[in-house]
Amino acid sequence: DQQSDRLTPLQATAKEIEDSAPVFERMKWLRGLAWPALWNLKRHLALKYLSMGVVKSALQICEEVFLWEEAVDCLLAMGAKARAIKLVNERLEISPTSNLYCQMGILTQEIDWFEKAWEFSGRRYSRAKRLWARASFELGDYKSSISHFEDALKINPLKPYAWLRLG
């Protein structure tokens, strides 16, 4: 307790500390603990930085641990669209993913990229269909937008935005 010198129930007494195993004994078991991987800790840190607006530091961490899709998000937040497109193109040549195709569609505003993401995923990546539906809706193609939203909701019905747009 910060207001008094009393111990809280979770604090150890001096007697409990004296009776515990010595440090060298406890250190033997340190490697057996399930610590999270360093890259995973850095990923969480980068995402936290990005959510707080510390975008450049988040980008540096993402590049350091090869989190390319998150790096694209950082570049978008920084307004470096040309650099983001270049990075996505490089990553698509090396190891394409459905998310990278979707990010390229978002960057270039071209529907073809969402279709590629949908096909690349084996028609299972609902985000590709939702983005495709949203792009069709913005272009005024409401019939195809409805069809895409329905396909996306068959795969993942837990998206309120899609239900709202579908009506």
Side-chain angles (χ1 to χ4, degrees):
D1 190 325
Q2 294 178 352
Q3 307 301 324
S4 69
D5 57 356
R6 293 180 307 161
L7 291 176
T8 62
L10 298 177
Q11 291 176 315
T13 63
K15 176 88 170 101
E16 289 172 337
I17 293 171
E18 289 172 10
D19 292 343
S20 68
V23 173
F24 70 87
E25 183 68 29
R26 287 180 280 164
M27 291 299 287
K28 289 180 189 177
W29 303 102
L30 185 65
R31 292 194 188 272
L33 296 175
W35 295 98
L38 182 60
W39 68 267
N40 197 16
L41 290 172
K42 287 188 177 188
R43 179 180 181 275
H44 285 293
L45 178 63
L47 293 176
K48 183 56 78 175
Y49 278 174
L50 184 59
S51 72
M52 294 179 355
V54 188
V55 182
K56 190 160 184 168
S57 295
L59 175 63
Q60 290 172 342
I61 293 170
C62 289
E63 289 174 343
E64 179 183 323
V65 291
F66 308 116
L67 299 170
W68 303 118
E69 294 170 4
E70 290 84 352
V72 172
D73 293 335
C74 293
L75 290 169
L76 282 175
M78 290 171 55
K81 186 175 177 180
R83 189 171 163 204
I85 290 172
K86 181 181 174 196
L87 177 61
V88 171
N89 277 327
E90 289 171 2
R91 297 312 307 168
L92 282 173
E93 289 176 10
I94 296 168
S95 63
T97 66
S98 297
N99 192 34
L100 281 173
Y101 283 120
C102 285
Q103 285 182 323
M104 184 58 94
I106 292 167
L107 289 166
T108 61
Q109 305 281 312
E110 295 175 9
I111 290 180
D112 297 340
W113 291 104
F114 304 126
E115 185 177 1
K116 287 180 185 178
W118 177 245
E119 294 301 327
F120 182 81
S121 71
R123 299 174 176 252
R124 292 183 315 228
Y125 190 50
S126 66
R127 181 174 184 241
K129 270 294 192 179
R130 283 193 316 275
L131 290 171
W132 192 356
R134 183 183 298 175
S136 296
F137 184 86
E138 289 172 0
L139 291 174
D141 188 2
Y142 302 116
K143 285 187 180 185
S144 69
S145 178
I146 290 170
S147 169
H148 296 313
F149 273 127
E150 287 173 345
D151 290 344
L153 288 169
K154 284 178 189 171
I155 297 168
N156 186 356
L158 301 175
K159 296 296 180 180
Y161 171 82
W163 284 109
L164 182 67
R165 281 290 171 125
L166 193 55

